[in-house]
């Protein structure tokens, strides 16, 4: 084989290898949280304007008053269902526990390969809901809120980030990734509007400010 044809063959093989790699890149699933898409910023602003503004009251709050991680389907509870939804290449065992996969935390931009590194965040925290109206709900409604897969209320994120958030509202805590903040406040307002929850004055001011930039 001449040097010319040898070089040409190597060139063709390299090109094919590059195309194969590119195809794999475009076809590979993205490990990004699949939070149900919240309402638009314009709709969120309309919703926010209609929410009752009231002081918060945590009297009588107990996390156990919000039954959570109920069975969703088969052996899968709410946490396991969100982990499967929000991850990429998630493999589960017969008990629906995630044994492998990849998860991208939209709050901080970290990627994890162990389900134990993730918490399922209640975007509007349970204590926050209690403070703003859920104290008057039935247990069944609080259970629906704590396990809501339809509204943008549950999302898999880095565990210590979720723990740092705690029960704070947007007046005192927001995701460190600024690119996600518009989605976060739109989701927050949608959930509060759907469940008829109030906002306090500092919370409304913060939400108004963030939504104005969306």
């Amino acid at each position: 084989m001449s040097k010319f044809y040898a070089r040409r063959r190597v060139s063709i093989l390299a090109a094919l290898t590059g195309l194969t790699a590119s195809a794999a890149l475009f076809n590979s699933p993205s490990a990004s949280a699949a939070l149900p898409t919240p309402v638009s910023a314009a709709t969120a602003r309309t919703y926010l304007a209609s929410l009752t503004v009231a002081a918060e009251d945590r009297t009588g709050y107990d996390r156990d008053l919000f039954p959570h991680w109920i069975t969703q389907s088969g052996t899968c509870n709410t946490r396991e269902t969100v982990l499967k939804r929000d991850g990429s290449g998630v493999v589960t065992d017969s008990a629906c526990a995630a044994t492998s996969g990849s998860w991208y935390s939209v709050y901080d931009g970290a990627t994890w390969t162990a389900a134990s590194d993730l918490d399922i965040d209640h975007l509007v925290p349970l204590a926050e809901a209690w403070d703003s109206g859920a104290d008057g709900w039935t247990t069944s409604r609080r259970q629906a809120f704590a396990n809501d897969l339809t509204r943008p209320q549950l999302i898999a994120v880095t565990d210590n980030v979720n723990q740092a958030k705690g029960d704070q509202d947007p007046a005192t805590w927001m995701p460190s990734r600024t690119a996600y903040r518009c989605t976060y406040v739109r989701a927050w307002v949608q959930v509060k509007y759907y469940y008829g929850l109030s906002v306090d004055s500092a919370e409304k001011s913060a939400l108004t400010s963030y939504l104005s930039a969306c």
Side-chain angles (χ1 to χ4, degrees), residues 17-161:
T17 301
L19 286 171
T20 301
S22 297
L25 176 64
F26 286 111
N27 292 329
S28 61
S30 173
S32 181
L35 183 80
T37 303
V39 296
S40 68
T43 298
R45 285 191 285 269
T46 299
Y47 284 178
L48 179 59
S50 72
L51 295 182
T52 299
V53 178
E56 296 182 351
D57 181 6
R58 189 151 305 180
T59 304
Y61 171 70
D62 185 332
R63 186 176 175 84
D64 290 340
L65 293 170
F66 292 80
H68 52 285
W69 304 168
I70 62 172
T71 300
Q72 291 289 343
S73 177
T75 60
C76 302
N77 66 23
T78 306
R79 171 183 166 81
E80 293 156 350
T81 300
V82 175
L83 284 172
K84 288 172 68 176
R85 182 199 71 186
D86 289 2
S88 175
V90 178
V91 175
T92 58
D93 61 20
S94 59
C96 202
T99 57
S100 63
S102 179
W103 292 267
Y104 176 75
S105 171
V106 292
Y107 286 1
D108 59 330
T111 297
W112 303 98
T113 56
S116 58
D117 288 320
L118 297 142
D119 278 355
I120 306 303
D121 180 38
H122 288 97
L123 196 134
V124 174
L126 304 182
E128 169 68 25
W130 179 271
D131 294 350
S132 50
D135 57 335
W137 292 354
T138 61
T139 299
S140 62
R141 185 162 177 79
R142 286 194 289 266
Q143 176 176 293
F145 176 84
N147 298 275
D148 191 347
L149 297 171
T150 303
R151 262 62 54 181
Q153 164 66 348
L154 298 173
I155 187 169
V157 295
T158 303
D159 54 3
N160 60 4
V161 171

